[in-house]
Amino acid sequence: MAIVRRHREGLERFDPWRELDETWRRVERLFSEFLGGPPLYSERAYGPALDVYETEDSVVVEAEVPGMEAKDIEIEIADRRLRIAGEARREEEKEGKGYLRRERYFGKIYREVELPADVDPEKARAELKNGALTLSLPKVETARVRKIKIS
């Protein structure tokens, strides 16, 4: 979820999740310096944006995973829980680059959601194209909607 807000120099994209992550990093650094130990929460993950919708015979999940490849993403289904995890890797630092701004996210991603229907993981299909992951999860027979005629 990104919000565009006004700034002195014009419009600025505001991502509350990124702001929260940066705040946690500052708190970790403060406590680690104060207590003289390792960071409190060294493993954090970004939750990618999802769209989940149903068709008559399947549940479709679309996730934003820019810059990731199929080998970097792990997908699991257990009961009605879908788990998407992985890691977006940063390219090697290039010498001589003086970054003025770095906003792209690199690091772990993790998202777990409850599915609206029972699905068959054996028949699930996943496609990754242009930073968008699309999962098509066929519903099991008992989860399909059936119309019943009144006699």
Side-chain angles (χ1 to χ4, degrees), residues 22-41:
E22 288 177 14
T23 302
W24 270 113
R25 288 176 200 230
R26 289 184 190 118
V27 169
E28 280 184 356
R29 191 169 36 248
L30 175 69
F31 274 95
S32 112
E33 289 173 5
F34 178 73
L35 299 174
L40 299 172
Y41 303 101

Side-chain angles (χ1 to χ4, degrees), residues 17-78:
W17 297 113
R18 186 175 314 278
E19 295 289 329
L20 182 62
D21 189 57
E22 288 177 14
T23 302
W24 270 113
R25 288 176 200 230
R26 289 184 190 118
V27 169
E28 280 184 356
R29 191 169 36 248
L30 175 69
F31 274 95
S32 112
E33 289 173 5
F34 178 73
L35 299 174
L40 299 172
Y41 303 101
S42 57
E43 289 293 319
R44 266 187 317 281
Y46 166 75
L50 296 180
D51 288 340
V52 180
Y53 60 91
E54 279 186 273
T55 64
E56 188 174 319
D57 57 349
S58 65
V59 175
V60 179
V61 178
E62 296 172 344
E64 292 180 1
V65 290
M68 296 185 73
E69 297 178 23
K71 65 182 171 72
D72 300 326
I73 302 170
E74 184 179 289
I75 304 164
E76 291 180 355
I77 298 173

Side-chain angles (χ1 to χ4, degrees), residues 15 17 36 42 47 75 77 79 81 85 116 120 140 145 151:
D15 185 348
W17 297 113
S42 57
I75 304 164
I77 298 173
D79 298 319
R81 305 287 305 167
D120 183 356
V140 295
V145 176
S151 56

Side-chain angles (χ1 to χ4, degrees), residues 62-138:
E62 296 172 344
E64 292 180 1
V65 290
M68 296 185 73
E69 297 178 23
K71 65 182 171 72
D72 300 326
I73 302 170
E74 184 179 289
I75 304 164
E76 291 180 355
I77 298 173
D79 298 319
R80 281 185 150 190
R81 305 287 305 167
L82 168 69
R83 184 177 77 83
I84 300 172
E87 187 167 1
R89 301 181 198 291
R90 184 184 305 260
E91 63 185 42
E92 292 287 323
E93 292 288 330
K94 295 191 171 77
E95 290 195 32
K97 276 192 174 180
Y99 286 97
L100 299 175
R101 192 174 190 119
R102 289 192 83 164
E103 293 185 351
R104 296 184 306 154
Y105 177 81
F106 295 97
K108 295 182 186 286
I109 65 161
Y110 182 85
R111 191 71 189 269
E112 189 170 318
V113 293
E114 176 114 14
L115 297 171
D118 292 322
V119 297
D120 183 356
E122 299 299 321
K123 295 180 182 173
R125 291 188 337 263
E127 180 182 345
L128 180 63
K129 185 175 183 182
N130 296 330
L133 174 66
T134 303
L135 303 171
S136 181
L137 312 168

